[in-house]
Amino acid sequence: MSRGIERILLISGSLWNLVTSLLTIFSYYSWFNIEGAKRLESADLNTMIAGSQMVNNILQIILIFGLFMFVGAIVNFLIAVKMKDNEIQYKVLIWIGVWGIVQLFSMDLIGFAIFLVAFVIYLAKNKAIRLAKAQSKLNMREASIE
């Protein structure tokens, strides 16, 4: 059984994660840095010091999140490329489920939908593969009895 649909969904999810991670790293990071500096310009010295530390901490979190999503995009692409047809790979199933949950927790509903559909299709094809293998074993037993 071909894993073409799952492969396409994982690659499209990977591309979506790549785009969102690059937007986070380059656009959102820069925007937040500029806006944070603007807001602190009219503050007193103590507020400016505390505020700049807070802005820097938030910028680090934005950068770490963007890099995390970038690495996830690369991992998803590699998994999609190395996915095997006619085989049940439980680690791939676990990864798709975990990454879908990560997408949900990060409020990326488009990414969550992509990985949820990939997860459900992967589960359905696993059932079909198990049934096909059971049927072929049954056919072998019947052939050896005759």
Side-chain angles (χ1 to χ4, degrees):
M1 179 149 305
S2 174
R3 297 278 189 186
I5 295 172
E6 298 96 313
R7 198 170 283 119
I8 290 170
L9 285 169
L10 284 179
I11 290 173
S12 65
S14 173
L15 290 173
W16 174 254
N17 288 150
L18 180 68
V19 167
T20 58
S21 70
L22 292 176
L23 283 173
T24 300
I25 292 170
F26 294 110
S27 297
Y28 186 60
Y29 181 88
S30 300
W31 173 82
F32 195 86
N33 192 14
I34 292 167
E35 286 298 314
K38 280 183 187 176
R39 301 289 182 230
L40 293 173
E41 284 176 356
S42 62
D44 62 24
L45 184 62
N46 290 333
T47 306
M48 191 181 299
I49 292 171
S52 67
Q53 288 177 340
M54 185 178 69
V55 168
N56 285 336
N57 290 339
I58 293 172
L59 285 173
Q60 288 177 346
I61 291 171
I62 291 169
L63 187 62
I64 289 170
F65 179 76
L67 291 174
F68 175 71
M69 294 305 280
F70 184 78
V71 169
I74 292 171
V75 170
N76 280 319
F77 181 77
L78 292 174
I79 286 174
V81 169
K82 294 184 184 248
M83 192 181 296
K84 297 176 184 169
D85 293 337
N86 287 327
E87 211 173 291
I88 298 173
Q89 296 170 297
Y90 291 104
K91 291 179 182 177
V92 171
L93 181 65
I94 292 169
W95 172 258
I96 295 171
V98 167
W99 195 252
I101 292 169
V102 167
Q103 297 296 301
L104 181 63
F105 284 151
S106 68
M107 295 302 295
D108 183 359
L109 299 180
I110 294 172
F112 174 69
I114 292 170
F115 288 102
L116 178 66
V117 171
F119 185 76
V120 169
I121 292 173
Y122 199 92
L123 279 176
K125 285 192 179 177
N126 283 354
K127 177 108 177 160
I129 289 170
R130 275 196 301 274
L131 289 173
K133 286 183 179 180
Q135 185 64 37
S136 68
K137 285 182 183 178
L138 183 63
N139 290 343
M140 290 178 146
R141 285 185 199 157
E142 289 176 357
S144 65
I145 292 174
E146 295 176 357

